[in-house]
Amino acid sequence: MSHAAEFRDFNRYYTQRIGLLTDRYMGADRPLSESRVLFEIGSGADVRDLRARLELDSGYLSRLLRSLEGQGLITVRAADGDRRIRTAALTPAGDAALADMNSRATDVADDLLSALDQPQQDRLIDAMAQVRRLLRLAGIDVAVAEATSAPARACLSAFADEMRARVPEGYDDGELVDADELTAPRGALLIATEHGRAVGCAALRRLDDDGVGEVRHMWVRSDARGIGLGHRLLREVELHAAAMGMHALRLGTNSALREALAMYRTRGYVEIPPYDGDIHVHHAFEKALRTG
């Protein structure tokens, strides 16, 4: 069975096992979609944030909110000071409905777990955490961005801020690679985006006409670390470099960035003598790329 078929088979089993196929989610009088929106509203939520967080079409979300309003479970009103922003909040009936839903969900989870002994429960929870990390990683978009765009400037600024905070010699924004070097055919800037928010970046520039490139400005947002995004960004840069005709990549890093050192070695980069005079580079690496 292919990976895609295994994935679909698991989804069919799981959705049926926890009762997602009925209009009475957890035995309540509302489907999963409404129950999830109710849960996400919690103590209050910006409707725009809800739409981004749940990745719902604005029209569909509006229908869900109107249904919950009609049931007396939420109120939706313009935010104080800016009528363009709408906020949703639970009514007392909504608070009670959410508490009931949470209690039902806990009972279902406890019932499922009770059939397993403690080591089996531990293995299941660990496996679920791994699945969540990998699904999150798979859901992040990585694409080339204009080096002068607002997301690009924000990512590079975040990289510079982190360097200032972590390397003892400090860092100046003027040390960032010029935008024209990160624009085809000289290079590229890849940005990782999750729910419309930039969570990482990696820059690629051509060092010479002999097919050697350089990776610069690798950065991952703090709340997106630990899921493998750095490895994915590096792999995407390598693929992009090979497509641009580069046969090798170089990079340098600071001794203070221990996790970066470990990642480069894991990805097959071999340490070489420093190839430029960058004061931040204590370790230089190179990797041959597969081409063709």
Side-chain angles (χ1 to χ4, degrees), residues 265-280:
R265 289 171 174 141
T266 299
R267 289 286 308 172
Y269 285 78
V270 177
E271 194 153 1
I272 60 173
Y275 55 88
D276 64 19
D278 191 329
I279 63 169
H280 305 295

Side-chain angles (χ1 to χ4, degrees), residues 58-129:
S58 59
Y60 182 54
L61 178 59
S62 293
R63 290 193 294 275
L64 292 174
L65 293 175
R66 284 197 299 270
S67 176
L68 292 171
E69 274 191 298
Q71 298 170 51
L73 301 178
I74 68 168
T75 59
V76 180
R77 56 171 55 95
D80 294 337
D82 191 343
R83 299 193 62 81
R84 296 170 300 176
I85 299 176
R86 294 191 305 150
T87 59
L90 300 183
T91 64
D95 285 328
L98 178 58
D100 177 66
M101 183 177 70
N102 285 333
S103 177
R104 290 169 184 260
T106 298
D107 288 343
V108 169
D110 284 341
D111 183 58
L112 283 171
L113 290 170
S114 67
L116 306 176
D117 62 27
Q118 190 61 51
Q120 290 172 327
Q121 290 185 26
D122 292 342
R123 291 205 307 273
L124 175 60
I125 297 305
D126 288 344
M128 292 172 72

